[in-house]
């Protein structure tokens, strides 16, 4: 499988270089696409420099301003599909998602999953160093989504996900509405409604040690109401 990891970045100067080095040290021949939203801290300049060392494997989309995680991933998905990648991964730049787990998510795809989720809540709660408030919010959100949607996924807001290209091709990316945590829920729910096989792989999630979280509380509101809306939506596969 041709594999592409998409990492959206906004002010990840402290993490980006180590992340690129780590991904390229892995077995598995991953390519990497950074989607940077004009980070004021100069993340894109660092990526541009690294691209000269890895011209065949490291790519970047630069956007004008902070346009949100959801649209960053959608731009990345389209880029990946246009270039024939077969396995497409979402991952944060902050090492909360251990890049070594990319190999496990790949194994899940190879074993037949269409979507493989790096999940914090498969058995108990595998989160290290998150403030209790955030952990409770995230865990309750996952219960709420399961209750409202009946989707058999324990970590619906997870941002560490591998998709087979067929899944992203079948989803009408123009119709994905949510931007923050809701985006992650909406993608998984749509894939599930379209009949794709979703597998959760247990990971340990560690809070970032460098840089700060870019997620805002407002994206919880979007997700809360958006999830209710999902129940009333119809989903149809895009024909290619
Ligand atoms: N391109 C882009 N990346 C973003 C945006 N918001 C967050 N990110 C990146 O998306 C990833 C997840 O954000 P993060 O701050 O770690 O959220 P948290 O893990 O929920 O605290 C990180 O790599 C961020 O740099 C955005 O508006 N645009
Ligand atoms: Mg993060």
């Amino acid at each position: 499988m041709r594999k592409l990891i998409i990492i959206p970045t906004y002010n990840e100067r402290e993490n980006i270089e180590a992340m690129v080095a780590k991904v390229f040290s892995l077995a598995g021949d991953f390519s990497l696409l950074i989607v940077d939203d004009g980070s004021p801290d100069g993340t894109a300049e660092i990526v541009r420099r690294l691209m000269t060392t890895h011209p065949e494997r490291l790519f970047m989309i630069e956007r004008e301003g902070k346009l949100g995680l959801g649209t960053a991933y959608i731009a990345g998905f389209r880029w990946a599909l246009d270039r024939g990648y077969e396995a497409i991964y979402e991952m944060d730049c902050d090492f909360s998602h251990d890049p070594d787990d990319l190999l496990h998510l790949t194994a899940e795809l190879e074993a037949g999953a269409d979507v493989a989720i790096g999940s914090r809540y498969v058995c108990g709660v595998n989160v290290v160093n998150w403030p209790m408030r955030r952990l409770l919010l995230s865990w309750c959100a996952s219960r709420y989504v399961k209750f409202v949607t009946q989707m058999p996924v324990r970590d619906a807001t997870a941002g560490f996900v591998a998709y087979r290209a067929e899944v992203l091709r079948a989803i009408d990316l123009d119709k994905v509405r949510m931007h923050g945590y809701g985006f992650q829920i909406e993608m998984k729910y749509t894939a599930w409604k379209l009949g794709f096989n979703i597998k959760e792989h247990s990971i340990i999630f560690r809070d970032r040690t460098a840089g700060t979280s870019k997620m805002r509380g407002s994206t919880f509101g979007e997700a809360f109401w958006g999830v209710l809306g999902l129940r009333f939506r119809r989903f149809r596969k895009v024909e290619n």
Side-chain angles (χ1 to χ4, degrees):
M1 277 193 297
R2 291 186 63 217
K3 306 188 248 337
L4 180 77
I5 302 156
I6 303 172
I7 300 186
T9 55
Y10 192 77
N11 288 346
E12 298 289 356
R13 185 185 56 188
E14 290 147 274
N15 291 308
I16 188 69
E17 188 154 5
M19 179 52 81
V20 170
K22 174 69 196 177
V23 165
F24 292 152
S25 76
L26 295 173
D29 209 15
F30 295 97
S31 293
L32 181 52
L33 173 67
I34 306 296
V35 185
D36 186 74
D37 276 0
S39 296
D41 76 347
T43 303
E45 277 91 85
I46 301 173
V47 176
R48 232 173 280 126
R49 171 168 59 75
L50 297 171
M51 283 166 74
T52 61
T53 320
H54 308 280
E56 319 261 282
R57 295 174 80 185
L58 179 60
F59 309 96
M60 178 163 60
I61 296 175
E62 288 187 73
R63 307 195 303 170
E64 291 292 314
K66 193 173 184 314
L67 298 170
L69 187 84
T71 59
Y73 273 126
I74 300 273
F77 294 158
R78 292 192 199 288
W79 191 97
L81 295 176
D82 284 347
R83 285 159 186 80
Y85 286 95
E86 294 155 305
I88 296 143
Y89 305 74
E90 301 181 347
M91 187 169 77
D92 283 12
C93 196
D94 55 8
F95 290 93
S96 288
H97 305 140
D98 181 348
D100 285 325
D101 282 319
L102 288 164
L103 302 174
H104 298 126
L105 296 183
T106 304
E108 297 287 2
L109 295 188
E110 283 168 350
D114 298 310
V115 180
I117 303 173
S119 176
R120 296 162 288 192
Y121 309 130
V122 170
C123 39
V125 174
N126 287 350
V127 175
V128 178
N129 270 350
W130 246 11
M132 186 51 83
R133 194 180 142 273
R134 243 200 117 170
L135 178 57
L136 269 175
L137 215 53
S138 168
W139 188 82
C140 291
S142 72
R143 305 302 304 188
Y144 167 74
V145 173
K146 199 158 182 216
F147 176 73
V148 174
T149 65
Q150 302 293 310
M151 173 169 66
V153 167
R154 288 176 198 237
D155 192 353
T157 60
F160 196 17
V161 187
Y163 290 96
R164 279 184 180 280
E166 295 90 285
V167 180
L168 300 180
R169 240 181 261 122
I171 292 177
D172 189 345
L173 296 173
D174 288 330
K175 298 230 169 90
V176 178
R177 294 184 200 167
M178 290 191 266
H179 297 283
Y181 297 106
F183 168 79
Q184 298 296 358
I185 302 166
E186 185 172 355
M187 286 297 297
K188 295 179 188 76
Y189 183 75
T190 310
W192 177 61
K193 287 303 264 185
L194 294 180
F196 290 106
N197 168 23
I198 302 183
K199 188 84 204 289
E200 282 183 278
H201 178 87
S202 182
I203 60 152
I204 294 173
F205 178 101
R206 288 186 176 78
D207 195 14
R208 59 162 78 230
T209 53
T212 52
S213 172
K214 281 84 199 176
M215 285 299 193
R216 294 283 156 263
S218 59
T219 74
F220 275 97
E222 176 200 56
F224 182 86
W225 296 110
V227 166
L228 290 174
L230 285 179
R231 278 302 299 268
F232 301 101
R233 222 189 286 169
R234 290 228 191 116
F235 296 90
R236 227 178 265 131
K237 269 191 189 173
V238 175
E239 299 299 334
N240 289 290

